[in-house]
Amino acid sequence: MENALNSTMNNGFHLLAFSTSGEYSWTIFFGLSLMYLMCVTLNITIIVLVCLAHQLHTPMYFFLCNLAAQDIIFVSAVLPKLMAITLTGDPRISFHGCIIQVFTFAVCVDLDFLLLATMGYDRYVAICMPLRYHLIMNTRLCVLLMVTFWAFCAANGLCFSLLLSHVRFCKSHDLNFFFCDIKIMLGISCGDITPIVKLVSFEAMFIGFLPFALTVSSYIRITLTMLRIKTSAARLKIFSSCSSHLTVVLLFCGTSLSLYMKSDSGDSGEQNKLLGLIYVGLVPMVNPVVYSLRNRQIRSATKTVYAQFMAKKVLL
């Protein structure tokens, strides 16, 4: 067993990625590069825009900045390595590189669930308790929540990393995925994985299901509030303020549930990889697009910041 652990640490793993012939490698590489650059650029734009535009200095956009930051970290831990594998054909990844991907994955996915639940609660307070909004969602609470979330998720990711670093992998060194997914790694292990399985079960309940239930509960109460409003204009305004966040929730939860709750079968490998790519690359890229296209405040702030930039440029 010790030899198996040493062999894994020395040789690492092979990420099998997508089973495509060499003639499509450049096409896939170009697509991945475009996805990565757009994801990073759009999310950085959201962060810069929120920092510069005074009208966006609200709890909702503070949470959105954190969501954009974790999206950048997530895709940067996965897509560059996948691009290198696609371009060079070398599927090797070091053991430590794999553990880093596991750490990043655990931190970002947990943070995503917590952030989306918090943003849903923010919409609930803004719509259902507008007079108490600034009292409840004050700056101190928002900063405290984000510091707590990042620290908790980092500690949780560290737990996964430490536990996996002591697991023996003797069945195979081939991971039939495009990054070091915890579920795939446990499938090729041959040691005692009980502590990790218990941690995954705990996560699924308390960091997956409970935040999702809080988000659903928030939107049920928002819907009930909307039904009590008689004017269609007021209803449309409420829907407009929630539509961007609700779209992001459906995208994230839909892809994550499809990927991790579907049954494994012999011919589902490529389908899982496609769902995984949507989950890892497409959703973080679409998030800022959804918030910018379907949000008047973002569009207005963009025009304001651009006008200020042009005015300063003229003065110079």
Side-chain angles (χ1 to χ4, degrees), residues 25 52 120 134 201 208 251 272 295:
S25 60
L52 295 179
H134 292 291
S201 300
L251 281 171
N272 288 341
N295 192 298

Side-chain angles (χ1 to χ4, degrees), residues 36 39 49 84 87 102-103 110-111 132 151-152 173-174 191 205 229 240-241 243 253 258 266 270-271 286 296 309:
Y36 178 64
C39 180
L49 191 62
L87 188 62
V102 168
F103 171 80
D110 290 351
L111 191 60
R132 300 176 58 191
F152 172 78
H173 286 177
D174 294 336
M205 175 58 67
I229 297 175
S240 177
S241 68
S243 59
C253 294
S258 298
E270 295 303 311
Q271 296 177 10
V286 170
R296 291 182 181 179
F309 173 76

Side-chain angles (χ1 to χ4, degrees), residues 158-177:
L158 186 61
C159 287
F160 270 113
S161 303
L162 291 175
L163 289 172
L164 273 174
S165 64
H166 292 88
V167 171
R168 297 178 176 85
F169 301 94
C170 53
K171 294 180 181 179
S172 172
H173 286 177
D174 294 336
L175 298 175
N176 190 24
F177 213 55

Side-chain angles (χ1 to χ4, degrees), residues 36-57:
Y36 178 64
L37 290 174
M38 286 186 64
C39 180
V40 172
T41 303
L42 290 172
N43 280 289
I44 288 178
T45 301
I46 288 290
I47 294 173
V48 172
L49 191 62
V50 172
C51 291
L52 295 179
H54 181 73
Q55 63 264 42
L56 298 182
H57 292 177

Side-chain angles (χ1 to χ4, degrees), residues 1 5 162-171 185-186 188-198:
M1 289 293 187
L5 180 59
L162 291 175
L163 289 172
L164 273 174
S165 64
H166 292 88
V167 171
R168 297 178 176 85
F169 301 94
C170 53
K171 294 180 181 179
M185 293 182 71
L186 293 180
I188 64 170
S189 65
C190 57
D192 182 17
I193 59 173
T194 303
I196 303 178
V197 172
K198 289 182 178 179

